[in-house]
């Protein structure tokens, strides 16, 4: 509990490698996470090779963690292995559809997050790369993912070489609803976002971007409609190519 | 680590309630999980009311956990709150698209899984209900989820009243790929699934269902093409209704 309470994302790592035995132990224990019908609808591609990291880096907007972390893990929703098993056992698999992608993604993310919690408990630092779902088509190519395998999360892992301040979070009230969803009034938004908007680092972020509000930095610079719509198309096209749509 | 190693899904709970302070503490700590741009793209609907549980139960195929667990949590991908915040802050949100659903789902599942790991550490037992993605349309209605909110996972939580055997898992080799994806030969499948197929409980499962192989039980009875295709349609229709497609 205390480890999670204190956690922060780590983007800078020392040159110390992660022992293969430790990585295996973490991954094996993570496989204890809940999984649909015990089918384990995931695969993890482990990248340690520097050349492979350099091929992945541009697909993650050249974030330095990709080449600097000793280990990069790409967690993939995988109905391919299960389908091969079916075919080898006189069963006809029916998993080339959207719901199967959803089911496999859920399994995959529960595994990924269990891994991260355990890795941090062992003194490692992790960073999720949201870019995985921006360029899934090119990741599919680099990692040679077959049909019915789709990358959903990338995590860089290593021993921390920084100790950043812990970011804020919204008050719990902002994300919890009792019995049914209660919509947010203007007064709710003012109250729930007051602390976040009052932080000097967020104020700096607004000024640096020459905007009026923090929300504008998100909606107009970091996560824009234009980018979201273009990336939605890429994602849906890749889902189709991988046989899930 | 040891807690995760020993974990198993718990479907039977004692009548002991979960203290609201403990639940809050677990949820608040779970919010430390990684989140895109620190936007916390999720909402959790807490169900404690017996009547609400009875309304949810049929949407989860009347699995007894829904009405017997002291607490049912529905974890929802939520871009609604962020969009309201944008509108209140002179920013134009652009999150009514598929990628935003993917981003919010990832945040939501990392939160849900962190919650489960922490809850188990505190002696609680949990069960994921895969049925959430089968009937999202009706869950939206019961929990009154607005546009840009989509249920992705339901977890029942309570103090364990059973101690089931731990299920098998595939050998780690089955799910890990070094550097790039390596496809499975017939010999791989035979080796990797040998232990699972040899288990008496799986053998019983095959005979009970009058099938020839375990894979047939999955492909022809538990997770069929027909069901998957029908539920894909429901899911995509609900995504459209909720504004994500």
């Amino acid at each position: 509990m205390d480890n999670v309470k204190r956690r922060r994302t780590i983007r800078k790592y020392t040159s110390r490698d992660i022992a293969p035995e430790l990585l295996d132990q973490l991954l094996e224990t993570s496989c204890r996470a809940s999984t649909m019908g015990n089918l384990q609808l995931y695969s993890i591609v482990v990248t340690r090779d520097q050349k492979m990291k350099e091929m992945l880096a541009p697909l993650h907007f050249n974030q330095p963690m990709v080449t600097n972390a000793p280990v990069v893990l790409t967690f993939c929703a995988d109905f391919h292995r299960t389908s091969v098993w079916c075919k080898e056992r006189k069963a006809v698999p029916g998993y080339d559809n959207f719901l199967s992608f959803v089911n496999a993604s859920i399994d995959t993310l529960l595994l990924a997050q269990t891994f991260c919690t355990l890795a941090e408990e062992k003194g490692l630092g992790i960073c999720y790369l949201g870019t995985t779902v921006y360029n899934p088509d090119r990741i599919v190519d680099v990692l040679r993912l077959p049909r019915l395998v789709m990358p959903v999360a990338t995590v860089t892992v290593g021993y921390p070489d920084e100790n950043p301040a812990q970011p804020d979070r919204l008050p719990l009230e902002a994300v919890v609803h009792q019995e049914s969803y209660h919509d947010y009034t203007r007064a709710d938004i003012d109250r729930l976002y007051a602390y976040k908007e009052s932080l000097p680092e967020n104020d700096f972020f607004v000024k640096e971007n020459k905007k009026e509000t923090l929300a504008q930095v998100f909606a107009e610079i970091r996560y824009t409609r234009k980018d979201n719509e273009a990336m939605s198309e890429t994602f849906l096209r890749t889902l189709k190519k991988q046989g899930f749509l």
Side-chain angles (χ1 to χ4, degrees), chain A:
Chain A
M1 182 82 129
D2 288 340
N3 279 311
V4 177
K5 220 177 257 178
R6 281 194 307 261
R7 77 165 297 281
R8 57 216 59 201
T9 287
I10 297 295
R11 293 179 174 82
K12 274 189 74 183
Y13 310 100
T14 69
S15 58
R16 184 178 166 194
D17 205 0
I18 302 174
E21 299 72 26
L22 174 60
L23 186 66
D24 280 358
Q25 190 195 6
L26 290 169
L27 288 171
E28 191 161 9
T29 307
S30 308
C31 287
R32 281 283 144 213
S34 296
T35 155
M36 188 188 91
N38 198 11
L39 286 173
Q40 300 182 245
L41 303 170
Y42 43 69
S43 272
I44 310 113
V45 183
V46 179
T47 308
R48 286 183 178 272
D49 182 78
Q50 200 59 29
K51 276 196 186 126
M52 287 301 290
K53 289 179 193 165
E54 281 161 19
M55 285 174 76
L56 286 173
L59 314 186
H60 294 293
F61 298 172
N62 288 309
Q63 294 176 92
M65 298 83 87
V66 181
T67 42
N68 294 344
V71 170
V72 179
L73 300 175
T74 307
F75 291 89
C76 305
D78 186 342
F79 243 120
H80 171 72
R81 186 188 58 249
T82 303
S83 298
V84 175
W85 176 52
C86 286
K87 286 174 199 163
E88 294 292 346
R89 296 295 185 266
K90 303 187 211 168
V92 183
Y95 307 114
D96 51 348
N97 43 59
F98 187 70
L99 192 88
S100 297
F101 167 67
V102 172
N103 283 328
S105 296
I106 293 174
D107 268 23
T108 306
L109 291 161
L110 304 191
L111 172 84
Q113 183 61 4
T114 307
F115 173 85
C116 290
T117 303
L118 294 175
E120 290 176 334
E121 197 184 303
K122 289 282 178 189
L124 291 161
I126 66 97
C127 181
Y128 273 93
L129 306 182
T131 39
T132 308
V133 297
Y134 300 175
N135 291 307
D137 50 338
R138 296 168 66 196
I139 295 173
V140 161
D141 290 342
V142 169
L143 301 182
R144 295 188 212 150
L145 307 181
R147 208 168 166 271
L148 299 189
V149 182
M150 181 82 181
V152 292
T154 303
V155 174
T156 56
V157 203
Y159 289 93
D161 194 25
E162 64 172 354
N163 189 14
Q166 205 182 31
D168 68 290
R169 288 291 190 260
L170 295 172
L172 186 60
E173 186 203 348
V175 300
V176 171
H177 301 256
Q178 304 298 336
E179 303 302 339
S180 66
Y181 198 98
H182 291 91
D183 210 346
Y184 301 87
T185 64
R186 174 168 297 184
D188 291 335
I189 294 291
D190 287 348
R191 187 179 71 256
L192 298 170
Y193 285 81
Y195 178 70
K196 180 186 282 287
E197 292 173 325
S198 77
L199 292 170
E201 61 267 34
N202 282 332
D203 196 45
F204 174 79
F205 202 33
V206 174
K207 291 200 172 102
E208 190 191 21
N209 285 290
K210 299 194 171 67
K211 291 289 170 194
E212 212 182 321
T213 68
L214 184 62
Q216 287 176 350
V217 179
F218 284 100
E220 295 167 19
I221 294 176
R222 291 192 68 186
Y223 307 104
T224 67
R225 168 177 298 282
K226 193 173 157 247
D227 286 350
N228 285 329
E229 288 179 353
M231 293 183 300
S232 294
E233 260 184 60
T234 306
F235 198 96
L236 288 164
R237 192 180 357 102
T238 311
L239 270 187
K240 201 167 282 185
K241 192 187 148 209
Q242 295 307 94
F244 279 123
L245 203 67

